[in-house]
Amino acid sequence: MHIPDGFLSTPIWVSMWVIAILIVGYAVRRTNEKLGERHVPMMGVLAAFIFAAQMLNTPVAGGTSGHMLGGVLSAIFLGPFAATIVMSTVFAVQAIFFQDGGITALGANIINMGLIGTIVGYYMYRGIQKAVGGEKGILIGAGVAAWIALVLGAISCALMLWSSGVVPLGVALPAMAGIHMFIGLIEAGITVVVVGMVLKSRPDLLELQKI
């Protein structure tokens, strides 16, 4: 799902950069206000896990690719704003050092693969968790939110490519949304398995203050 340089028109990638900077800047400020000793190692572990998981790419039509995102997973442990910093850091390192996603498209990639999961996905998770209740609510919320967030990110990516005149919407939308409905099942499965294992072995890690 990483969009390379040259795929987005200037108005689109500049707009996405501005939105990403505003949201990530707000996330940094909120995180600095509440960051505790236990948050730092958790942020490092999640960043390393998500970075490694995202290296497994599946080619998708239109010059893009699909893979696990991890935004909802990181937000379940850290909260939406600390998770936003984790995800933005992962995408920046990938773009700068591994050319996985373009520099001009970095703002768009942070929005599609990071912010939709860490913010939109997190609040979907919280809503489902509260509605269902208990451990079942945590697991169902994690799985459903992870799947929806990944598909929404793919749809957002397709709309950006279409708006930039790169590919017709009739090609980009089915290609991106269709394949990511299946990739989303993997994302949901990994998220549920990781959260479930932590619930059994170290439930205290899920009680970390959410930022």
Side-chain angles (χ1 to χ4, degrees):
M1 203 191 297
H2 287 80
I3 303 174
D5 283 325
F7 274 63
L8 298 180
S9 65
T10 300
I12 295 295
W13 71 254
V14 169
S15 300
M16 295 305 108
W17 258 108
V18 171
I19 294 171
I21 287 172
L22 291 174
I23 296 176
V24 173
Y26 180 74
V28 169
R29 187 167 67 84
R30 288 288 303 270
T31 302
N32 280 336
E33 293 173 352
K34 297 183 178 180
L35 189 67
E37 291 183 356
R38 296 181 65 199
H39 289 101
V40 176
M42 181 62 80
M43 291 174 76
V45 168
L46 285 168
F49 174 77
I50 291 167
F51 181 88
Q54 289 193 1
M55 298 303 286
L56 302 174
N57 283 281
T58 300
V60 180
T64 59
S65 60
H67 53 70
M68 179 192 173
L69 298 184
V72 172
L73 178 65
S74 59
I76 289 173
F77 286 97
L78 296 167
F81 300 112
T84 290
I85 295 174
V86 168
M87 297 300 292
S88 301
T89 302
V90 168
F91 297 131
V93 170
Q94 290 174 340
I96 294 170
F97 297 104
F98 297 91
Q99 289 76 53
D100 196 5
I103 299 298
T104 59
L106 182 57
N109 286 330
I110 287 175
I111 291 171
N112 294 337
M113 297 185 290
L115 304 185
I116 290 178
T118 58
I119 298 176
V120 179
Y122 175 74
Y123 287 108
M124 283 193 293
Y125 157 74
R126 291 287 293 168
I128 297 169
Q129 178 204 6
K130 288 182 179 178
V132 178
E135 291 189 0
K136 185 182 291 185
I138 294 175
L139 296 176
I140 292 175
V144 172
W147 185 85
I148 293 176
L150 187 136
V151 174
L152 287 179
I155 291 173
S156 175
C157 179
L159 292 174
M160 290 180 189
L161 293 172
W162 166 68
S163 299
S164 298
V166 172
V167 60
L169 187 60
V171 174
L173 190 57
M176 291 298 293
I179 191 68
H180 282 87
M181 287 181 182
F182 293 101
I183 295 174
L185 296 176
I186 299 172
E187 172 99 5
I190 293 173
T191 303
V192 170
V193 168
V194 171
V195 173
M197 291 175 65
V198 172
L199 268 174
K200 288 184 177 179
S201 58
R202 289 290 306 275
D204 58 300
L205 295 178
L206 287 166
E207 297 171 0
L208 198 64
Q209 182 187 19
K210 304 300 183 284
I211 302 175

